[in-house]
Coordinates of all heavy atoms in Angstrom, one line a residue:
M1 N 75.4 -93.6 221.6 CA 76.7 -93.0 221.3 C 76.9 -92.9 219.8 O 76.6 -93.9 219.1 CB 77.8 -94.0 222.0 CG 79.2 -93.4 221.8 SD 79.6 -91.9 222.6 CE 80.6 -92.4 223.9
P2 N 77.4 -91.8 219.3 CA 77.6 -91.7 217.9 C 78.7 -92.5 217.4 O 79.5 -93.0 218.1 CB 77.9 -90.2 217.7 CG 78.5 -89.8 219.0 CD 77.8 -90.7 220.1
T3 N 78.7 -92.8 216.1 CA 79.8 -93.5 215.5 C 80.6 -92.5 214.6 O 80.1 -91.6 214.1 CB 79.2 -94.7 214.6 OG1 78.4 -94.1 213.5 CG2 78.5 -95.6 215.4
F4 N 81.8 -92.8 214.5 CA 82.8 -91.9 213.7 C 83.5 -92.9 212.8 O 84.3 -93.7 213.3 CB 83.8 -91.2 214.7 CG 83.1 -90.4 215.7 CD1 82.8 -90.8 216.9 CD2 82.7 -89.1 215.3 CE1 82.3 -90.1 217.9 CE2 82.0 -88.3 216.3 CZ 81.8 -88.8 217.5
D5 N 83.4 -92.7 211.5 CA 84.2 -93.6 210.5 C 85.0 -92.6 209.7 O 84.5 -91.6 209.1 CB 83.1 -94.2 209.5 CG 83.9 -95.1 208.5 OD1 84.9 -95.6 208.7 OD2 83.2 -95.1 207.4
R6 N 86.3 -92.8 209.8 CA 87.3 -91.9 209.1 C 87.8 -92.6 207.9 O 88.2 -93.8 207.9 CB 88.4 -91.5 210.1 CG 89.3 -90.5 209.5 CD 90.4 -90.1 210.4 NE 91.5 -91.1 210.4 CZ 91.8 -91.9 211.4 NH1 91.3 -91.8 212.6 NH2 92.9 -92.8 211.3
R7 N 87.9 -91.9 206.8 CA 88.6 -92.4 205.6 C 89.3 -91.2 204.8 O 88.7 -90.2 204.8 CB 87.6 -93.2 204.8 CG 86.5 -92.5 204.3 CD 85.5 -93.3 203.6 NE 84.2 -92.7 203.6 CZ 83.2 -93.1 204.2 NH1 83.2 -94.2 204.9 NH2 81.9 -92.6 204.1
T8 N 90.3 -91.6 204.2 CA 91.0 -90.6 203.4 C 90.5 -90.8 201.9 O 90.5 -91.8 201.4 CB 92.5 -90.8 203.3 OG1 93.0 -90.6 204.6 CG2 93.2 -89.8 202.5
V9 N 89.9 -89.7 201.4 CA 89.3 -89.8 200.0 C 90.4 -89.8 198.9 O 90.4 -90.5 198.1 CB 88.3 -88.6 199.9 CG1 87.7 -88.6 198.4 CG2 87.2 -88.7 200.8
D10 N 91.3 -88.8 199.2 CA 92.6 -88.8 198.4 C 93.6 -87.9 199.1 O 93.4 -87.7 200.3 CB 92.2 -88.0 197.0 CG 91.5 -86.7 197.2 OD1 91.9 -86.0 198.2 OD2 90.7 -86.3 196.4
E11 N 94.6 -87.6 198.5 CA 95.7 -86.9 199.3 C 95.3 -85.5 199.8 O 95.9 -84.8 200.6 CB 97.0 -86.7 198.4 CG 96.8 -85.9 197.2 CD 96.2 -86.7 196.0 OE1 96.1 -87.9 196.0 OE2 95.9 -85.9 195.0
R12 N 94.1 -85.0 199.3 CA 93.7 -83.7 199.6 C 92.6 -83.6 200.7 O 92.5 -82.7 201.5 CB 93.0 -83.1 198.4 CG 92.6 -81.6 198.5 CD 92.0 -81.0 197.3 NE 91.5 -79.7 197.4 CZ 90.4 -79.4 198.0 NH1 89.5 -80.4 198.4 NH2 89.9 -78.3 198.2
A13 N 91.8 -84.7 201.0 CA 90.7 -84.6 201.9 C 90.6 -85.9 202.8 O 90.7 -87.0 202.2 CB 89.4 -84.3 201.2
T14 N 90.3 -85.7 204.0 CA 90.0 -86.8 204.8 C 88.5 -86.6 205.4 O 88.2 -85.5 205.8 CB 90.9 -86.8 206.1 OG1 92.2 -87.0 205.7 CG2 90.5 -87.9 207.1
V15 N 87.7 -87.6 205.2 CA 86.3 -87.5 205.6 C 86.1 -88.2 206.9 O 86.5 -89.4 207.1 CB 85.5 -88.1 204.4 CG1 83.9 -88.1 204.9 CG2 85.6 -87.3 203.1
V16 N 85.4 -87.6 207.8 CA 84.8 -88.2 209.0 C 83.4 -88.3 208.9 O 82.7 -87.2 208.9 CB 85.3 -87.4 210.3 CG1 84.8 -88.1 211.5 CG2 86.8 -87.3 210.3
V17 N 82.8 -89.4 208.9 CA 81.4 -89.7 208.7 C 80.8 -89.9 210.2 O 81.3 -90.7 210.9 CB 81.0 -90.9 207.9 CG1 79.5 -91.1 207.9 CG2 81.6 -90.8 206.5
I18 N 79.9 -89.0 210.5 CA 79.4 -89.0 211.8 C 77.9 -89.4 211.8 O 77.1 -88.8 211.0 CB 79.5 -87.6 212.5 CG1 80.8 -87.1 212.5 CG2 78.9 -87.5 213.9 CD1 81.0 -85.5 212.8
E19 N 77.5 -90.2 212.8 CA 76.1 -90.7 212.8 C 75.8 -90.6 214.4 O 76.5 -91.2 215.1 CB 75.8 -92.0 212.3 CG 76.0 -91.9 210.8 CD 75.6 -93.2 210.1 OE1 75.0 -94.1 210.8 OE2 75.9 -93.4 208.9
G20 N 74.6 -89.9 214.7 CA 74.2 -90.0 216.2 C 74.1 -88.6 216.7 O 74.4 -87.7 215.9
E21 N 73.9 -88.5 217.9 CA 73.9 -87.2 218.6 C 75.3 -86.8 219.1 O 76.0 -87.6 219.6 CB 72.9 -87.3 219.8 CG 71.4 -87.5 219.4 CD 70.5 -87.4 220.4 OE1 70.9 -87.4 221.6 OE2 69.3 -87.5 220.2
L22 N 75.6 -85.5 218.9 CA 76.8 -85.0 219.3 C 76.5 -84.1 220.6 O 76.0 -83.1 220.5 CB 77.5 -84.2 218.2 CG 77.9 -84.9 217.0 CD1 78.4 -84.0 216.0 CD2 78.8 -86.1 217.2
D23 N 76.9 -84.6 221.7 CA 76.7 -83.9 222.9 C 77.9 -84.1 223.9 O 78.9 -84.6 223.5 CB 75.4 -84.4 223.6 CG 75.4 -85.8 223.9 OD1 76.5 -86.6 223.9 OD2 74.3 -86.5 223.9
I24 N 77.7 -83.7 225.1 CA 78.8 -83.7 226.1 C 79.4 -85.2 226.3 O 80.5 -85.3 226.5 CB 78.4 -83.1 227.4 CG1 79.7 -82.8 228.3 CG2 77.4 -83.9 228.1 CD1 79.4 -81.9 229.4
G25 N 78.5 -86.1 226.1 CA 79.0 -87.5 226.2 C 79.8 -88.1 225.1 O 80.6 -89.0 225.3
S26 N 79.7 -87.4 223.9 CA 80.5 -87.9 222.8 C 81.6 -86.8 222.4 O 82.2 -87.0 221.4 CB 79.6 -88.1 221.5 OG 78.9 -86.9 221.3
A27 N 81.7 -85.7 223.1 CA 82.7 -84.6 222.8 C 84.1 -85.1 222.6 O 84.8 -84.7 221.7 CB 82.5 -83.5 223.7
D28 N 84.5 -86.0 223.6 CA 85.9 -86.4 223.6 C 86.1 -87.3 222.4 O 87.1 -87.3 221.8 CB 86.2 -87.1 224.9 CG 86.3 -86.3 226.1 OD1 86.7 -85.0 225.8 OD2 86.2 -86.7 227.2
A29 N 85.1 -88.1 222.1 CA 85.3 -89.1 220.9 C 85.3 -88.2 219.6 O 86.1 -88.5 218.7 CB 84.1 -90.1 220.9
L30 N 84.5 -87.2 219.5 CA 84.5 -86.3 218.4 C 85.9 -85.6 218.2 O 86.4 -85.6 217.1 CB 83.4 -85.3 218.5 CG 83.3 -84.2 217.4 CD1 83.1 -84.8 216.0 CD2 82.2 -83.1 217.7
R31 N 86.5 -85.1 219.4 CA 87.7 -84.5 219.3 C 88.8 -85.4 218.9 O 89.6 -85.1 218.0 CB 88.0 -84.0 220.7 CG 89.3 -83.2 220.9 CD 89.6 -82.6 222.2 NE 88.6 -81.7 222.7 CZ 87.6 -82.1 223.6 NH1 87.6 -83.2 224.2 NH2 86.7 -81.1 223.9
S32 N 88.8 -86.6 219.4 CA 89.7 -87.7 218.9 C 89.6 -88.0 217.4 O 90.6 -88.1 216.7 CB 89.5 -89.0 219.8 OG 89.9 -88.8 221.1
A33 N 88.4 -88.0 217.0 CA 88.2 -88.3 215.5 C 88.7 -87.3 214.6 O 89.4 -87.4 213.7 CB 86.7 -88.6 215.3
L34 N 88.5 -86.0 215.1 CA 88.9 -84.9 214.3 C 90.5 -84.7 214.4 O 91.1 -84.4 213.4 CB 88.2 -83.6 214.8 CG 86.8 -83.4 214.4 CD1 86.1 -82.3 215.1 CD2 86.6 -83.4 213.0
D35 N 91.0 -85.0 215.6 CA 92.5 -84.9 215.8 C 93.2 -86.0 214.9 O 94.3 -85.6 214.2 CB 92.9 -85.1 217.2 CG 92.6 -83.8 218.1 OD1 92.2 -82.8 217.5 OD2 92.6 -84.0 219.3
A36 N 92.6 -87.2 214.9 CA 93.2 -88.2 214.0 C 93.1 -87.8 212.6 O 94.0 -88.1 211.8 CB 92.5 -89.5 214.2
A37 N 92.0 -87.4 212.1 CA 91.8 -86.8 210.7 C 92.9 -85.7 210.4 O 93.5 -85.7 209.4 CB 90.3 -86.4 210.4
A38 N 93.0 -84.9 211.3 CA 93.9 -83.7 211.0 C 95.3 -84.2 211.0 O 96.1 -83.6 210.2 CB 93.8 -82.7 212.1
A39 N 95.7 -85.2 211.8 CA 97.0 -85.8 211.7 C 97.5 -86.4 210.4 O 98.6 -86.5 210.1 CB 97.1 -86.8 212.9
E40 N 96.5 -86.7 209.6 CA 96.7 -87.2 208.3 C 97.3 -86.2 207.3 O 98.0 -86.6 206.3 CB 95.5 -87.9 207.7 CG 95.1 -89.2 208.4 CD 93.9 -89.9 207.8 OE1 93.8 -89.7 206.5 OE2 93.3 -90.6 208.5
G41 N 97.2 -84.9 207.7 CA 97.9 -83.9 207.0 C 97.2 -83.5 205.7 O 97.9 -82.7 204.9
T42 N 96.0 -83.9 205.4 CA 95.4 -83.4 204.2 C 94.9 -81.9 204.4 O 94.8 -81.4 205.4 CB 94.2 -84.3 204.0 OG1 93.3 -84.2 205.1 CG2 94.5 -85.7 203.7
A43 N 94.7 -81.3 203.1 CA 94.2 -79.9 203.2 C 92.9 -79.6 203.8 O 92.6 -78.6 204.2 CB 94.4 -79.3 201.8
V44 N 92.0 -80.7 203.6 CA 90.7 -80.6 204.1 C 90.2 -81.7 204.9 O 90.5 -82.9 204.7 CB 89.7 -80.5 202.9 CG1 88.2 -80.6 203.3 CG2 90.0 -79.4 202.0
V45 N 89.6 -81.4 206.1 CA 88.9 -82.4 206.9 C 87.5 -82.1 206.7 O 87.0 -81.0 207.1 CB 89.4 -82.4 208.4 CG1 88.5 -83.3 209.2 CG2 90.9 -82.7 208.5
R46 N 86.8 -83.1 206.3 CA 85.2 -82.9 206.0 C 84.5 -83.8 206.9 O 84.7 -85.0 207.0 CB 84.9 -83.3 204.5 CG 83.5 -83.1 204.2 CD 83.2 -83.3 202.7 NE 84.0 -82.5 201.9 CZ 84.8 -82.8 200.9 NH1 84.8 -84.1 200.6 NH2 85.5 -82.0 200.2
L47 N 83.7 -83.1 207.7 CA 82.7 -83.9 208.6 C 81.4 -84.1 207.7 O 80.7 -83.3 207.3 CB 82.2 -83.1 209.7 CG 83.4 -82.8 210.8 CD1 82.8 -81.8 211.8 CD2 83.9 -84.0 211.3
E48 N 81.2 -85.5 207.4 CA 79.9 -85.8 206.8 C 78.9 -86.0 207.9 O 78.8 -86.9 208.6 CB 80.1 -87.2 206.0 CG 78.9 -87.8 205.4 CD 78.2 -86.8 204.5 OE1 78.9 -86.3 203.5 OE2 77.0 -86.6 204.5
A49 N 77.9 -85.0 207.9 CA 77.0 -84.9 209.0 C 75.5 -85.2 208.7 O 74.7 -84.9 209.5 CB 77.1 -83.5 209.6
A50 N 75.3 -85.9 207.7 CA 73.8 -86.2 207.3 C 73.2 -87.0 208.3 O 72.0 -86.9 208.5 CB 73.8 -87.0 205.9
G51 N 73.9 -87.8 209.1 CA 73.4 -88.6 210.2 C 73.3 -88.0 211.6 O 73.0 -88.7 212.5
V52 N 73.7 -86.7 211.6 CA 73.6 -86.0 212.9 C 72.3 -85.1 213.0 O 72.0 -84.3 212.1 CB 74.8 -85.0 213.0 CG1 74.7 -84.3 214.3 CG2 76.1 -85.9 213.0
H53 N 71.5 -85.4 214.0 CA 70.3 -84.7 214.2 C 70.2 -83.8 215.4 O 69.3 -83.0 215.6 CB 69.1 -85.7 214.2 CG 69.0 -86.5 213.0 ND1 68.6 -86.0 211.8 CD2 69.4 -87.8 212.8 CE1 68.6 -87.0 210.9 NE2 69.2 -88.0 211.5
F54 N 71.3 -83.8 216.2 CA 71.4 -83.0 217.4 C 72.8 -82.7 217.7 O 73.7 -83.7 217.6 CB 70.8 -83.8 218.6 CG 70.9 -82.9 219.9 CD1 70.1 -81.9 220.2 CD2 71.9 -83.3 220.8 CE1 70.2 -81.2 221.4 CE2 72.1 -82.7 222.1 CZ 71.3 -81.6 222.4
L55 N 73.1 -81.5 218.2 CA 74.5 -81.2 218.7 C 74.4 -80.1 219.8 O 73.5 -79.2 219.6 CB 75.5 -80.8 217.7 CG 75.4 -79.5 216.9 CD1 76.8 -79.2 216.3 CD2 74.4 -79.6 215.7
D56 N 75.1 -80.2 220.8 CA 75.0 -79.2 222.0 C 76.2 -78.3 221.9 O 77.0 -78.4 221.0 CB 74.8 -79.9 223.3 CG 76.0 -80.7 223.8 OD1 77.0 -80.7 223.1 OD2 75.8 -81.3 224.8
S57 N 76.3 -77.5 222.9 CA 77.4 -76.5 222.9 C 78.8 -77.2 223.0 O 79.7 -76.6 222.6 CB 77.2 -75.5 224.0 OG 77.2 -76.2 225.3
S58 N 78.9 -78.3 223.7 CA 80.2 -78.9 223.8 C 80.7 -79.5 222.5 O 81.9 -79.4 222.2 CB 80.2 -80.1 224.8 OG 79.2 -81.1 224.5
A59 N 79.8 -79.9 221.7 CA 80.1 -80.5 220.4 C 80.5 -79.3 219.4 O 81.5 -79.3 218.6 CB 79.0 -81.2 219.7
L60 N 79.7 -78.2 219.6 CA 80.1 -76.9 218.9 C 81.4 -76.4 219.2 O 82.2 -76.1 218.3 CB 79.0 -75.8 219.2 CG 77.6 -76.2 218.6 CD1 76.7 -75.1 219.1 CD2 77.6 -76.1 217.1
G61 N 81.8 -76.5 220.5 CA 83.1 -76.0 220.9 C 84.2 -76.9 220.3 O 85.3 -76.4 219.9
V62 N 84.0 -78.2 220.2 CA 85.0 -79.1 219.7 C 85.2 -78.8 218.0 O 86.3 -78.7 217.6 CB 84.5 -80.6 219.8 CG1 85.5 -81.5 219.0 CG2 84.7 -80.9 221.4
I63 N 84.0 -78.6 217.4 CA 84.2 -78.3 216.1 C 84.7 -77.0 215.7 O 85.7 -76.9 214.9 CB 82.6 -78.3 215.5 CG1 82.1 -79.8 215.4 CG2 82.6 -77.7 214.0 CD1 80.6 -79.9 215.1
L64 N 84.4 -76.0 216.6 CA 85.1 -74.7 216.5 C 86.6 -74.7 216.6 O 87.3 -74.2 215.9 CB 84.4 -73.7 217.4 CG 85.0 -72.3 217.3 CD1 84.8 -71.7 215.9 CD2 84.2 -71.4 218.4
A65 N 86.9 -75.4 217.7 CA 88.4 -75.5 218.0 C 89.1 -76.3 216.9 O 90.2 -75.8 216.5 CB 88.6 -76.2 219.4
A66 N 88.6 -77.4 216.4 CA 89.2 -78.1 215.3 C 89.4 -77.2 214.1 O 90.4 -77.2 213.5 CB 88.4 -79.3 215.0
G67 N 88.2 -76.4 213.7 CA 88.4 -75.5 212.6 C 89.4 -74.5 212.8 O 90.2 -74.2 211.8
Q68 N 89.7 -73.9 214.0 CA 90.7 -73.0 214.2 C 92.0 -73.6 214.1 O 92.9 -73.1 213.5 CB 90.4 -72.3 215.5 CG 89.2 -71.4 215.5 CD 88.8 -70.9 217.0 OE1 89.2 -71.6 217.9 NE2 88.1 -69.8 217.1
R69 N 92.2 -74.8 214.7 CA 93.5 -75.4 214.6 C 93.9 -75.8 213.2 O 95.1 -75.6 212.7 CB 93.5 -76.7 215.4 CG 93.6 -76.5 216.9 CD 93.9 -77.8 217.7 NE 93.1 -78.9 217.3 CZ 91.9 -79.1 218.0 NH1 91.4 -78.2 218.8 NH2 91.2 -80.2 217.6
L70 N 93.0 -76.2 212.4 CA 93.2 -76.5 211.0 C 93.5 -75.2 210.2 O 94.4 -75.2 209.4 CB 92.0 -77.2 210.4 CG 91.9 -78.7 210.8 CD1 90.5 -79.2 210.4 CD2 93.0 -79.5 210.1
A71 N 92.9 -74.2 210.5 CA 93.1 -72.9 209.8 C 94.4 -72.3 210.0 O 95.1 -71.8 209.2 CB 92.0 -71.9 210.2
E72 N 94.9 -72.6 211.3 CA 96.3 -72.1 211.7 C 97.4 -72.8 210.9 O 98.4 -72.2 210.7 CB 96.5 -72.3 213.2 CG 95.7 -71.4 214.0 CD 95.8 -71.7 215.5 OE1 96.4 -72.7 215.8 OE2 95.2 -70.9 216.3
R73 N 97.2 -74.0 210.4 CA 98.2 -74.8 209.7 C 97.8 -74.7 208.2 O 98.4 -75.4 207.3 CB 98.3 -76.1 210.2 CG 97.1 -77.0 209.8 CD 97.6 -78.5 210.1 NE 96.9 -79.3 209.0 CZ 96.4 -80.5 209.2 NH1 96.7 -81.1 210.5 NH2 95.9 -81.2 208.3
G74 N 96.9 -73.9 207.8 CA 96.7 -73.7 206.3 C 95.7 -74.8 205.7 O 95.5 -74.8 204.5
S75 N 95.0 -75.5 206.6 CA 94.0 -76.4 206.2 C 92.6 -75.9 206.5 O 92.6 -74.8 207.0 CB 94.3 -77.8 206.9 OG 95.4 -78.3 206.5
R76 N 91.5 -76.7 206.2 CA 90.2 -76.1 206.6 C 89.3 -77.3 207.0 O 89.6 -78.5 206.6 CB 89.6 -75.3 205.5 CG 89.1 -76.1 204.3 CD 88.4 -75.2 203.5 NE 87.8 -76.0 202.3 CZ 87.6 -75.6 201.1 NH1 88.0 -74.4 200.8 NH2 87.0 -76.4 200.3
L77 N 88.4 -77.0 207.8 CA 87.3 -77.9 208.3 C 86.1 -77.7 207.5 O 85.6 -76.5 207.3 CB 87.1 -77.8 209.7 CG 86.0 -78.8 210.3 CD1 86.5 -80.2 210.2 CD2 85.8 -78.4 211.8
E78 N 85.5 -78.6 206.9 CA 84.1 -78.5 206.2 C 83.2 -79.4 206.9 O 83.5 -80.5 207.4 CB 84.3 -79.0 204.7 CG 85.2 -78.2 203.9 CD 85.3 -78.7 202.5 OE1 84.9 -79.8 202.2 OE2 85.9 -78.0 201.6
L79 N 81.9 -79.0 206.9 CA 80.9 -79.7 207.4 C 79.8 -79.9 206.3 O 79.3 -78.9 205.8 CB 80.1 -79.1 208.6 CG 79.3 -80.0 209.4 CD1 79.5 -79.8 210.9 CD2 77.9 -79.9 209.1
A80 N 79.6 -81.2 205.9 CA 78.8 -81.4 204.6 C 77.5 -82.1 205.1 O 77.5 -83.0 205.9 CB 79.5 -82.2 203.7
N81 N 76.5 -81.7 204.3 CA 75.2 -82.4 204.3 C 74.5 -82.4 205.7 O 73.9 -83.3 206.0 CB 75.3 -83.9 203.9 CG 75.8 -83.9 202.5 OD1 75.3 -83.3 201.5 ND2 76.9 -84.8 202.2
A82 N 74.6 -81.3 206.4 CA 74.0 -81.1 207.7 C 72.5 -81.0 207.4 O 72.0 -80.4 206.5 CB 74.5 -79.8 208.3
T83 N 71.8 -81.5 208.4 CA 70.3 -81.4 208.4 C 70.0 -79.9 208.6 O 70.8 -79.1 209.1 CB 69.7 -82.1 209.6 OG1 70.2 -81.7 210.8 CG2 70.1 -83.7 209.4
P84 N 68.8 -79.6 208.2 CA 68.4 -78.1 208.4 C 68.5 -77.7 209.9 O 68.9 -76.6 210.1 CB 66.9 -78.1 208.0 CG 66.9 -79.2 206.9 CD 67.8 -80.3 207.5
A85 N 68.2 -78.5 210.9 CA 68.3 -78.2 212.2 C 69.8 -77.9 212.7 O 70.0 -76.9 213.3 CB 67.7 -79.2 213.1
V86 N 70.6 -78.7 212.2 CA 72.0 -78.6 212.6 C 72.6 -77.4 211.9 O 73.3 -76.6 212.4 CB 72.8 -79.8 212.2 CG1 74.4 -79.6 212.3 CG2 72.4 -81.0 213.1
R87 N 72.3 -77.1 210.6 CA 72.7 -76.0 209.8 C 72.2 -74.7 210.5 O 73.0 -73.8 210.6 CB 72.1 -76.1 208.4 CG 72.7 -74.9 207.5 CD 72.3 -75.2 206.2 NE 73.1 -76.2 205.6 CZ 73.7 -76.2 204.5 NH1 73.5 -75.3 203.6 NH2 74.4 -77.2 204.2
R88 N 71.1 -74.7 211.0 CA 70.5 -73.5 211.6 C 71.4 -73.2 212.9 O 71.6 -72.0 213.2 CB 69.0 -73.7 212.0 CG 68.4 -72.5 212.7 CD 66.9 -72.7 212.7 NE 66.2 -71.9 213.7 CZ 66.1 -70.6 213.8 NH1 66.6 -69.9 212.8 NH2 65.5 -70.0 214.8
I89 N 71.7 -74.3 213.7 CA 72.5 -74.0 214.9 C 73.9 -73.5 214.5 O 74.4 -72.5 215.1 CB 72.6 -75.3 215.7 CG1 71.2 -75.7 216.3 CG2 73.7 -75.2 216.8 CD1 71.3 -77.0 216.9
L90 N 74.5 -74.0 213.5 CA 75.7 -73.5 213.0 C 75.6 -72.0 212.5 O 76.6 -71.3 212.9 CB 76.2 -74.3 211.8 CG 76.5 -75.9 212.3 CD1 76.8 -76.6 211.0 CD2 77.7 -76.0 213.2
E91 N 74.6 -71.7 211.9 CA 74.5 -70.3 211.4 C 74.2 -69.4 212.5 O 74.8 -68.3 212.7 CB 73.4 -70.3 210.4 CG 73.9 -70.9 209.0 CD 72.6 -71.1 208.1 OE1 71.4 -70.8 208.4 OE2 73.0 -71.6 207.0
M92 N 73.4 -69.7 213.5 CA 73.0 -68.9 214.6 C 74.2 -68.6 215.6 O 74.3 -67.5 216.2 CB 71.8 -69.6 215.5 CG 70.5 -69.5 214.8 SD 69.2 -70.3 215.7 CE 69.6 -70.1 217.3
T93 N 75.0 -69.6 215.7 CA 76.3 -69.5 216.5 C 77.5 -68.9 215.8 O 78.5 -68.7 216.5 CB 76.6 -70.9 217.2 OG1 76.9 -71.7 216.2 CG2 75.6 -71.4 218.1
L94 N 77.3 -68.6 214.5 CA 78.4 -68.0 213.7 C 79.6 -68.9 213.4 O 80.6 -68.4 213.1 CB 78.7 -66.7 214.3 CG 77.7 -65.6 214.3 CD1 78.2 -64.3 215.0 CD2 77.0 -65.4 213.0
I95 N 79.4 -70.2 213.8 CA 80.5 -71.1 213.6 C 80.9 -71.2 212.0 O 81.9 -71.6 211.6 CB 80.2 -72.5 214.1 CG1 80.3 -72.4 215.7 CG2 81.1 -73.6 213.6 CD1 80.1 -73.6 216.4
T96 N 79.9 -70.8 211.2 CA 80.2 -70.7 209.8 C 81.3 -69.8 209.3 O 81.7 -69.9 208.2 CB 78.7 -70.4 209.0 OG1 78.2 -69.2 209.6 CG2 77.8 -71.5 209.3
R97 N 81.6 -69.0 210.2 CA 82.8 -68.1 210.0 C 84.1 -68.8 210.0 O 85.1 -68.4 209.4 CB 82.9 -67.0 211.0 CG 81.6 -66.0 210.8 CD 81.9 -64.9 211.8 NE 80.7 -63.9 211.6 CZ 80.7 -62.8 212.4 NH1 81.5 -62.6 213.4 NH2 79.6 -62.0 212.2
T98 N 84.2 -70.0 210.7 CA 85.3 -70.7 210.9 C 85.3 -72.0 210.1 O 86.3 -72.5 209.5 CB 85.6 -71.1 212.3 OG1 85.7 -69.8 213.0 CG2 86.9 -71.8 212.5
V99 N 84.1 -72.7 210.1 CA 83.9 -73.9 209.4 C 83.0 -73.7 208.2 O 82.0 -73.1 208.2 CB 83.1 -74.9 210.4 CG1 82.8 -76.2 209.7 CG2 83.9 -75.1 211.7
H100 N 83.6 -74.3 207.0 CA 82.9 -74.2 205.8 C 81.7 -75.2 205.8 O 82.0 -76.4 205.9 CB 83.9 -74.5 204.7 CG 85.0 -73.6 204.6 ND1 84.9 -72.3 204.0 CD2 86.2 -73.6 205.2 CE1 86.0 -71.7 204.2 NE2 86.8 -72.4 204.9
V101 N 80.6 -74.7 205.7 CA 79.3 -75.6 205.6 C 79.0 -75.7 204.1 O 78.7 -74.6 203.5 CB 78.2 -74.9 206.5 CG1 76.9 -75.9 206.4 CG2 78.6 -74.9 208.0
I102 N 78.9 -77.0 203.7 CA 78.5 -77.2 202.3 C 77.4 -78.1 202.2 O 77.2 -78.9 203.1 CB 79.8 -77.8 201.5 CG1 80.3 -79.0 202.2 CG2 80.9 -76.8 201.4 CD1 81.4 -79.6 201.4
P103 N 76.5 -77.9 201.2 CA 75.3 -78.7 201.1 C 75.5 -80.1 200.9 O 76.5 -80.6 200.5 CB 74.6 -78.0 200.0 CG 75.3 -76.8 199.5 CD 76.6 -76.8 200.2

């Protein structure tokens, strides 16, 4: 089971550090972590994904939906430090149109 550690960096950004595999078994926990981060009202929710080595379509759906909800309220979702494999999946599925992927 992955771990989710949430912290507010400043009034502008909330960071959610994710470690482990993101799949159907962890999709609800990921959704809850992103919803809690979004509820803090910062302009940016950043997923720190250096510790993620796998994600499936259910996790992609959660990330995409969170990015869309944040965009509707004028905020944005960023995914930082993704491994090359995760970055490739994000690019192939075009989630990078909604979620800002940063090195």
Side-chain angles (χ1 to χ4, degrees):
M1 183 62 109
T3 60
F4 303 96
D5 177 32
R6 186 180 83 240
R7 57 184 162 251
T8 301
V9 175
D10 55 33
E11 65 279 348
R12 188 178 170 282
T14 300
V15 176
V16 178
V17 180
I18 306 169
E19 294 185 9
E21 294 185 354
L22 299 177
D23 56 22
I24 194 163
S26 61
D28 287 337
L30 175 60
R31 183 178 299 107
S32 293
L34 290 172
D35 287 348
E40 292 186 21
T42 55
V44 175
V45 173
R46 182 175 301 131
L47 295 176
E48 174 56 53
V52 176
H53 301 286
F54 174 81
L55 69 157
D56 72 4
S57 60
S58 59
L60 290 170
V62 169
I63 292 168
L64 180 61
Q68 291 170 334
R69 283 192 309 273
L70 286 164
E72 287 171 1
R73 70 165 216 215
S75 298
R76 75 173 184 214
L77 180 63
E78 296 178 347
L79 197 138
N81 299 311
T83 62
V86 169
R87 183 174 285 223
R88 180 167 158 71
I89 291 168
L90 295 170
E91 291 169 353
M92 287 175 34
T93 58
L94 302 177
I95 287 180
T96 53
R97 291 182 178 176
T98 304
V99 177
H100 301 272
V101 179
I102 55 178

